Amino acid sequence: METPEGLLVLEGRPTAQLIADHLREQIIQGVFRPGQQINESVLAGQLHTSRGPVREALQRLAQEGILVSLRNRGVFVPELSIDDIKEIYAVREAVESASANMLLAAGQEHIELICQSLKETLTDMAEQVDLSDWQALTRLDMQFHTSFVEATGNSRLIRIYDTLVAESRMCILNLRVSYPRVDVLVQEHQNLLDLLEAGDNEGLQQAISRHMRTAVDDLTATTLQE
């Protein structure tokens, strides 16, 4: 396995968790491509560490679904199918719908705090749309939704959503060039924010569903064209 461009060498003696976090981000950013094998021995050499923590890190990522371990073959970056995309976004819809219920039940003061944070993210998103910074826009898109779920304070929902975010970024990577509807991306997120701020549960639930299903349509249309 050649050293992927952009792979950083971790300083010192990295732990399995640090290696897993590092690799997850590299996979999400496309340093490791779908279908590519991750060689434990080569990776340990590149990171200047022993194979033990690398093996544990790969096992953790396989448990998350970020990597796929194939018996007698090795560990690979998954190639996400249309069915995978549909499943990921269906679960995201369920988690965000549950989060909306929790947030709207938490009271106006809490809603105002999360809305302020989301407004800041939206401002940054608008700037990146103007700059056409693809990686930054993807990160901010996911940051908006992650902040929404994290505001519930539900540790299990947050843990589930962390994996979904990583998988979503891998899905979005398949678009390669740009969001197909970048002109309305900020507007869609602004609509979610406005509905949350207004306390409109029914409208927010419908908007979350519409937002996720539109994303699936965009991602699967791109996949089908390849």
Side-chain angles (χ1 to χ4, degrees):
M1 181 182 75
E2 296 180 356
T3 304
E5 184 180 352
L7 180 63
L8 303 176
V9 176
L10 301 178
E11 298 294 333
R13 296 180 62 83
T15 63
Q17 185 61 58
L18 184 60
I19 295 170
D21 292 343
H22 175 69
L23 284 177
R24 186 187 301 105
E25 188 61 27
Q26 297 295 302
I27 293 166
I28 288 169
Q29 291 182 6
V31 175
F32 296 98
R33 300 298 303 177
Q36 182 175 346
Q37 184 174 12
I38 308 296
N39 186 292
E40 176 187 304
S41 178
V42 173
L43 189 58
Q46 291 167 357
L47 298 177
H48 301 293
T49 189
S50 62
R51 293 178 63 172
V54 172
R55 183 181 304 115
E56 184 180 341
L58 295 179
Q59 290 172 347
R60 291 187 185 194
L61 294 177
Q63 290 172 352
E64 292 179 19
I66 304 302
L67 291 174
V68 175
S69 180
L70 302 178
R71 186 177 179 84
N72 299 323
R73 289 186 57 194
V75 179
F76 298 81
V77 179
E79 298 181 86
L80 297 174
S81 67
I82 289 176
D83 285 342
D84 290 324
I85 293 170
K86 290 178 178 178
E87 286 185 3
I88 291 164
Y89 278 80
V91 180
R92 278 190 62 188
E93 180 181 337
V95 171
E96 291 198 27
S97 293
S99 297
N101 286 329
M102 293 180 192
L103 291 177
L104 291 173
Q108 192 60 36
E109 184 176 349
H110 186 65
I111 291 173
E112 289 175 1
L113 286 173
I114 179 58
C115 284
Q116 184 56 46
S117 174
L118 295 177
K119 286 174 184 176
E120 293 172 3
T121 302
L122 269 179
T123 299
D124 292 340
M125 284 180 69
E127 291 177 356
Q128 299 309 324
V129 168
D130 291 339
L131 294 171
S132 298
D133 189 329
W134 172 238
Q135 286 284 354
L137 187 56
T138 303
R139 178 180 55 78
L140 289 166
D141 184 350
M142 292 300 103
Q143 181 180 314
F144 180 96
H145 292 278
T146 299
S147 296
F148 185 88
V149 174
E150 286 181 344
T152 66
N154 186 306
S155 61
R156 285 167 175 78
L157 273 186
I158 294 167
R159 187 164 64 243
I160 291 168
Y161 203 73
D162 282 345
T163 297
L164 293 170
V165 164
E167 291 180 316
S168 295
R169 288 180 66 185
M170 291 169 68
C171 290
I172 294 170
L173 181 66
N174 291 333
L175 293 176
R176 291 189 178 90
V177 181
S178 64
Y179 285 87
R181 299 172 302 100
V182 69
D183 55 321
V184 297
L185 183 67
V186 174
Q187 180 183 330
E188 287 185 1
H189 288 79
Q190 182 67 57
N191 184 46
L192 293 170
L193 172 58
D194 291 343
L195 291 165
L196 175 62
E197 198 166 28
D200 184 350
N201 196 1
E202 182 178 355
L204 182 55
Q205 297 290 348
Q206 291 174 353
I208 290 170
S209 178
R210 186 165 54 248
H211 185 62
M212 294 301 164
R213 293 177 189 182
T214 299
V216 169
D217 289 343
D218 290 340
L219 290 162
T220 55
T222 302
T223 302
L224 288 169
Q225 289 169 6
E226 296 176 353

